[in-house]
Amino acid sequence: MAKGRWVPSVVAVVLSGCGAFTAVGLGEDDPPSSSSSSSSSSGGDADASSSSSGGSSSSASSSSSSSSSSSSSGTSGVLEAGTDALVLPRRVFVTPEVLPGGFAAGKDVEVAADAFCKASAGAGGGNWVAWVSVTGKPARDRLGPGKPWHLGTPAGPVVFDNAGQIAASMEPKVAIDRDATGATVAFSSGTEYVWTGTTANGSPSGQDCLGWTSTAVGGRAGNPKSTTDWTSFVTSNCAFNYHLYCFEK
């Protein structure tokens, strides 16, 4: 008898219509194999395992993507406390362009100065305020709370951590001598200063070209190549053409 073959152990005797006996064997074919059922079950497990593996892979990929995104965003901004909002660093720069101390004659001082900053920033965009004071309106009050200011671009060095440092008369960490693209400004003799009308703590100096409307008097100016005299260095004739500092609000 061949190994692994099923041999019938029962022979059924059937009574035919003619009274004769007919022996009917149950056959010698193998019965339904239990391995087939096992294989089916195994296949199901494999499918489930594959599905589970695929899900894990997908989850891992999603997690990796999320992690990568988080890492990427971390280089360009920080999450604002208590929110999910990504906050980019603010910028500060000095305009490469110059203007006379009476630049706001017949105009609103803040609107005129801020527009000059916006035009200098160009395609870089941003909400800019000029660092100029007039009587009763300190420049520091226009800056707003929060984030640090970086020189020129978000990747530039930190100049001030917050407006509180300015109010405390703290010096900038680096000289504010770059434009909105991060390039160092080439200051020319005779136009190398910055109109501010502002003291070291961001208060009005009282010397502001008559509210930045006259070229016949004097105005206070800062030195953009210095950290100690950055905002209050010299009183100059308001007919001179100087630069402006621009802070992103």
Side-chain angles (χ1 to χ4, degrees):
M1 175 172 60
K3 184 177 179 181
R5 302 292 290 175
W6 180 72
V7 178
S9 58
V10 179
V11 176
V13 178
V14 179
L15 183 62
S16 69
C18 301
F21 292 93
T22 303
V24 180
L26 296 184
E28 295 184 357
D29 291 336
D30 289 340
S33 173
S34 61
S35 63
S36 175
S37 173
S38 173
S39 174
S40 175
S41 173
S42 174
D45 290 345
D47 289 344
S49 175
S50 174
S51 175
S52 174
S53 174
S56 297
S57 175
S58 176
S59 296
S61 174
S62 175
S63 174
S64 174
S65 174
S66 175
S67 176
S68 173
S69 175
S70 174
S71 173
S72 173
S73 65
T75 62
S76 57
V78 295
L79 287 178
E80 189 170 26
T83 75
D84 292 326
L86 186 65
V87 179
L88 295 178
R90 290 185 289 188
R91 298 161 286 171
V92 58
F93 70 91
V94 62
T95 64
E97 304 86 3
V98 295
L99 74 178
F103 63 83
K107 306 173 185 177
D108 179 279
V109 174
E110 293 179 353
V111 171
D114 294 352
F116 191 73
C117 283
K118 183 177 180 180
S120 185
N127 182 16
W128 300 98
V129 293
W131 179 256
V132 291
S133 293
V134 295
T135 301
K137 291 184 176 181
R140 67 168 182 255
D141 290 351
R142 308 187 64 217
L143 301 183
K147 307 158 287 183
W149 286 278
H150 291 246
L151 182 59
T153 69
V158 172
V159 179
F160 291 107
D161 290 321
N162 51 59
Q165 291 186 339
I166 300 175
S169 300
M170 293 181 65
E171 297 173 357
K173 300 175 188 291
V174 295
I176 306 174
D177 60 356
R178 299 184 193 176
D179 65 17
T181 69
T184 300
V185 174
F187 300 103
S188 301
S189 178
T191 63
E192 68 268 41
Y193 300 128
V194 182
W195 289 122
T196 67
T198 307
T199 66
N201 69 356
S203 300
S205 68
Q207 299 163 306
D208 59 10
C209 302
L210 293 181
W212 308 109
T213 62
S214 174
T215 58
V217 293
R220 197 67 178 167
N223 182 359
K225 293 181 285 187
S226 169
T227 55
T228 56
D229 303 313
W230 73 280
T231 187
S232 184
F233 178 64
V234 65
T235 298
S236 294
N237 188 310
C238 292
F240 290 169
N241 292 307
Y242 289 160
H243 308 264
L244 289 185
Y245 290 128
C246 304
F247 283 74
E248 190 169 22
K249 188 172 182 178

